[in-house]
Amino acid sequence: MNTWSELTEIQPMATQILTNSIEKGRISHAYLLQGERGTGKEQIALVMAKSLFCENRQGAEPCNTCTNCKRITSGNHPDVHWIEPEGLSISKEQVQHLQKEFSYSGMESNQKVYVVKHADRMTVNAANSLLKFLEEPSKQTTAMMLTENSGAILATIRSRCQVIDLKPLNPIQFRKQLVTEGMREQDATLMSALTNNLDDAFQVVQDEWFVEARKLVLQLIEMLTTNQENVYLYLHSKWLAHFKERDDHDRGLDILLLALRDVLYYHIGNEDAMTVFKPADALLEKSSMKFSQHHLSKLLDYVIQAKRKLSQNVQPTLVMEQLVLKMKR
């Protein structure tokens, strides 16, 4: 999405606020965009930067063809800086490097923009360094901070930003969009439950890693249904060999949540809402006979707890070991 017109379709309120600010020349020195993954935070930041630098802007709309627009699209504009976590967090050194860069005069103008992705992952020292930066803003410096977890942002930082809430995307509308773009209906149903990003959805569904991940999730449910005594062995021989990085585990748990939810849907006769299982899957019937609705609610809660531990930097192998031990009780 390269224009405000396109962004209006998914985030009309946020788009209206920002375009009005641009057209009236009342740009805030800092914005905090908060919303779930896939709600358009990065696209909004990108279009905002283009609007501020575009040589041929019409109203708030960037042209996307001038030199500045093209360089911002490619990530090569000297006065537009992106910061994102190196590893698990954004360090104080990254913020200090940004401050050093901004102490220099602009390469072509005094306008500067910086975008902080996953702003909630700043260390305490990094957040305090950024706070000092925000307390003495330059009139021609604009900060765009992006987060899925606004509760982890320092209140003092939030108070210095114009907070813009992004609404969750409609999964039904997104599924229809995926099908229109050529994705199979069943794949589109699953992707619309996992992401709200079109490019991400097509990349994931074509990835052999993801295809195997889905198979392993179903195998885990089969082990829990028919062969619980060997589930711990399965975890170490199969699951951990495929899910290696923290993000891999998180994506696997997302699929597991959806699969268990499918079994719950099967219980209540809402098969049209299923995402991972096919309605005629024999494992679906076996699992529904093994797990009551009450038991499924417990299993879902265990998986949610595991995802929370992953986000808190608990070692992934330990998280998964604890999860399967709880699930086999």
Side-chain angles (χ1 to χ4, degrees):
M1 296 183 182
N2 294 311
T3 66
W4 291 115
S5 298
E6 292 174 323
L7 287 166
T8 297
E9 296 180 9
I10 64 168
Q11 295 296 344
M13 185 61 69
T15 299
Q16 183 178 4
I17 292 170
L18 292 170
T19 54
N20 284 344
S21 297
I22 295 167
E23 290 171 351
K24 294 177 181 179
R26 297 176 181 173
I27 308 299
S28 176
H29 73 279
Y31 294 93
L32 177 61
L33 304 181
Q34 55 186 26
E36 297 176 5
R37 183 171 180 265
T39 47
K41 294 184 291 294
E42 289 184 38
Q43 292 94 331
I44 289 173
L46 192 67
V47 176
M48 185 69 175
K50 289 179 185 178
S51 294
L52 295 176
F53 284 96
C54 181
E55 301 163 16
N56 305 309
R57 195 178 78 202
Q58 297 293 319
E61 201 72 80
C63 68
N64 283 304
T65 57
C66 70
T67 301
N68 279 340
C69 283
K70 288 181 178 178
R71 286 192 295 180
I72 291 171
T73 298
S74 64
N76 292 318
H77 197 288
D79 295 320
V80 178
H81 299 262
W82 291 74
I83 298 179
E84 56 186 296
E86 292 181 352
L88 293 174
S89 60
I90 296 172
S91 67
K92 179 181 178 181
E93 289 71 27
Q94 287 178 270
V95 176
Q96 289 177 331
H97 177 72
L98 174 72
Q99 292 170 326
K100 183 178 179 181
E101 289 289 323
F102 274 48
S103 68
Y104 304 135
S105 297
M107 297 294 289
E108 292 149 29
S109 72
N110 288 324
Q111 178 73 57
K112 287 180 178 287
V113 172
Y114 64 96
V115 183
V116 183
K117 295 170 61 177
H118 302 294
D120 51 283
R121 298 189 193 176
M122 286 186 287
T123 64
V124 174
N125 288 335
N128 286 328
S129 293
L130 186 66
L131 179 60
K132 293 178 182 178
F133 205 25
L134 292 172
E135 287 173 340
E136 301 174 359
S138 163
K139 290 183 179 179
Q140 291 184 285
T141 296
T142 303
M144 304 286 291
M145 284 181 280
L146 321 179
T147 181
E148 297 172 28
N149 180 17
S150 59
I153 303 288
L154 285 179
T156 45
I157 288 181
R158 287 176 56 87
S159 67
R160 287 164 175 77
C161 298
Q162 181 174 350
V163 179
I164 297 180
D165 292 302
L166 303 184
K167 67 175 186 177
L169 300 188
N170 185 330
I172 296 175
Q173 180 182 358
F174 184 59
R175 184 178 72 235
K176 290 179 179 177
Q177 185 180 3
L178 290 172
V179 173
T180 300
E181 295 287 337
M183 188 177 291
R184 292 189 311 161
E185 181 76 38
Q186 185 181 0
D187 290 338
T189 300
L190 176 55
M191 288 301 106
S192 65
L194 289 173
T195 180
N196 287 312
N197 185 291
L198 190 68
D199 293 335
D200 185 35
F202 275 95
Q203 181 179 350
V204 169
V205 81
Q206 295 167 4
D207 190 342
E208 291 184 7
W209 181 94
F210 180 79
V211 175
E212 183 64 20
R214 180 181 178 276
K215 290 180 181 177
L216 289 170
V217 167
L218 294 178
Q219 286 175 11
L220 176 59
I221 291 178
E222 184 169 18
M223 296 290 290
L224 290 167
T225 302
T226 62
N227 191 14
Q228 284 198 2
E229 62 271 18
N230 288 321
V231 69
Y232 194 79
L233 177 62
Y234 168 81
L235 172 71
H236 283 273
S237 62
K238 297 287 188 179
W239 184 283
L240 295 178
H242 185 72
F243 298 93
K244 297 177 181 178
E245 304 298 327
R246 187 176 300 273
D247 287 345
D248 295 344
H249 284 282
D250 194 53
R251 178 54 62 89
L253 291 177
D254 282 339
I255 304 171
L256 181 57
L257 268 175
L258 293 172
L260 291 171
R261 191 183 68 177
D262 283 357
V263 182
L264 187 58
Y265 282 154
Y266 186 81
H267 264 287
I268 61 179
N270 190 15
E271 296 178 29
D272 291 340
M274 294 192 305
T275 54
V276 179
F277 280 101
K278 296 177 182 178
D281 197 315
L283 176 59
L284 187 61
E285 184 175 357
K286 287 181 184 177
S287 300
S288 68
M289 294 176 67
K290 173 72 175 180
F291 304 121
S292 66
Q293 292 183 36
H294 177 69
H295 195 170
L296 284 165
S297 297
K298 281 189 173 182
L299 295 180
L300 289 165
D301 186 53
Y302 294 153
V303 179
I304 292 170
Q305 289 176 29
K307 282 178 61 65
R308 188 177 298 119
K309 288 178 182 178
L310 279 178
S311 69
Q312 294 169 345
N313 205 24
V314 180
Q315 212 280 333
T317 299
L318 178 60
V319 170
M320 292 306 304
E321 287 176 343
Q322 291 176 339
L323 174 61
V324 297
L325 288 174
K326 283 183 178 180
M327 295 180 83
K328 65 178 286 190
R329 289 173 184 169

